[in-house]
Amino acid sequence: MRKPIIAGNWKMNNDVNETEALMNTLLPLVADAKAEVVFCPTYLGLQKAVEMAKNSNVGIGAQNMHFEKSGAFTGEISGEMLVAVGVTYVIIGHSERRQLFNETDEAVNKKAIKALSLGLIPIVCCGETLEERESGQAEAKVVRQMELGLKNIDDITKVVVAYEPIWAIGTGKTASKEEADEACGWVRATIAKLYGEDAAQKVRIQYGGSVNPGNVKELMAMKNIDGALVGGAAIKASFAEIVKF
Ligand code: PGA
């Protein structure tokens, strides 16, 4: 049985004071969640969030990391630095990072391998553009991202994957539950091809893209969907309804 996992990607929202306020609001509301719960504030909110989430059911994740330990990488943060503040999850290869910051599948792979070596749980993202979906390229895109992004992983069962069609992110347009389940199935089949069916059955696959309290239940009922990566709806009190689906 795969334990459902629902993560909130706060993106570039909430300064450290706002992070504290949102944590104060959300922590009690999500205490009886059905899923494993993860909050991913900005780097600057991580330390505060980790302190506040101690002795709670919430794990704290970063939204990105560099694969090197230290050095001349201006503006970057290493996995070691995340571990040092008590972070336990990290989102890797979010479509905004791929599209706006030119992150490649190769970098995603290096980051995922590094995160696992440090004991961080990587949430590795994939997903197609609207153009790719409309031209029948969605499956090929997702399979390629997974083949390149998830190669040479020691223990694939520790990885969480988030399938997020780019056309559904922040648009209010959710993939239908059938489309979302089908694409999560492509992810699982690719993992099975790389690491075998048994391992693939243990990997948790989230759907992301305009998940909200109104659509989470039907998405979570699908056989290949084990959770959600939530953006806009993650920084509101009603996120609690999502984790209780
Ligand atoms: P959204 O974002 O829920 O606002 O669509 C999801 C994400 O980018 O992870």
Side-chain angles (χ1 to χ4, degrees):
M1 255 317 258
R2 300 184 291 266
K3 183 170 168 58
I5 174 165
I6 297 184
N9 173 9
W10 295 12
K11 307 195 180 184
M12 197 175 75
N13 294 296
N14 301 82
D15 66 21
V16 67
N17 299 315
E18 291 161 340
T19 295
E20 182 173 5
L22 187 56
M23 294 285 297
N24 272 325
T25 302
L26 285 177
L27 282 173
L29 295 177
V30 304
D32 56 344
K34 256 205 222 170
E36 187 172 320
V37 183
V38 184
F39 296 163
C40 304
T42 69
Y43 285 136
L44 290 178
L46 288 173
Q47 189 157 9
K48 187 82 208 171
V50 166
E51 274 165 36
M52 293 181 75
K54 250 179 214 145
N55 307 316
S56 82
N57 61 323
V58 173
I60 301 300
Q63 299 172 18
N64 180 31
M65 58 168 253
H66 198 278
F67 48 80
E68 293 290 351
K69 179 178 183 182
S70 61
F73 301 102
T74 301
E76 291 292 313
I77 295 285
S78 70
E80 283 84 350
M81 293 169 184
L82 298 178
V83 170
V85 293
V87 165
T88 46
Y89 301 80
V90 58
I91 299 171
I92 290 178
H94 188 278
S95 63
E96 287 152 18
R97 297 227 45 94
R98 293 176 184 263
Q99 291 198 306
L100 305 173
F101 303 100
N102 302 320
E103 203 159 297
T104 63
D105 290 317
E106 290 68 31
V108 167
N109 185 238
K110 283 185 185 170
K111 291 178 182 196
I113 290 171
K114 182 62 187 273
L116 285 166
S117 77
L118 295 169
L120 291 165
I121 297 179
I123 300 176
V124 180
C125 304
C126 62
E128 81 286 358
T129 62
L130 185 58
E131 213 184 355
E132 287 162 340
R133 176 151 290 259
E134 287 178 342
S135 61
Q137 299 299 307
E139 179 173 6
K141 168 78 174 290
V142 168
V143 167
R144 188 177 70 248
Q145 285 182 322
M146 292 289 90
E147 281 175 350
L148 297 174
L150 296 182
K151 66 181 186 195
N152 302 328
I153 301 272
D154 276 345
D155 187 355
I156 192 71
T157 66
K158 295 212 171 82
V159 173
V160 175
V161 175
Y163 165 69
E164 299 199 299
I166 294 166
W167 46 273
I169 294 179
T171 57
K173 206 169 148 186
T174 325
S176 71
K177 58 186 194 302
E178 292 82 12
E179 284 170 327
D181 189 59
E182 180 185 39
C184 291
W186 300 333
V187 171
R188 202 174 303 288
T190 308
I191 294 172
K193 208 167 77 192
L194 294 171
Y195 298 102
E197 189 59 38
D198 281 3
Q201 285 304 326
K202 293 189 181 128
V203 174
R204 294 179 295 175
I205 304 173
Q206 300 173 317
Y207 166 77
S210 298
V211 174
N212 61 49
N215 60 25
V216 65
K217 199 177 178 72
E218 62 174 29
L219 289 162
M220 292 300 293
M222 302 306 284
K223 90 172 179 328
N224 279 306
I225 301 179
D226 308 310
L229 182 55
V230 184
I235 51 176
K236 298 182 189 144
S238 56
F239 183 64
E241 295 166 39
I242 296 179
V243 299
K244 293 178 206 172
F245 57 95

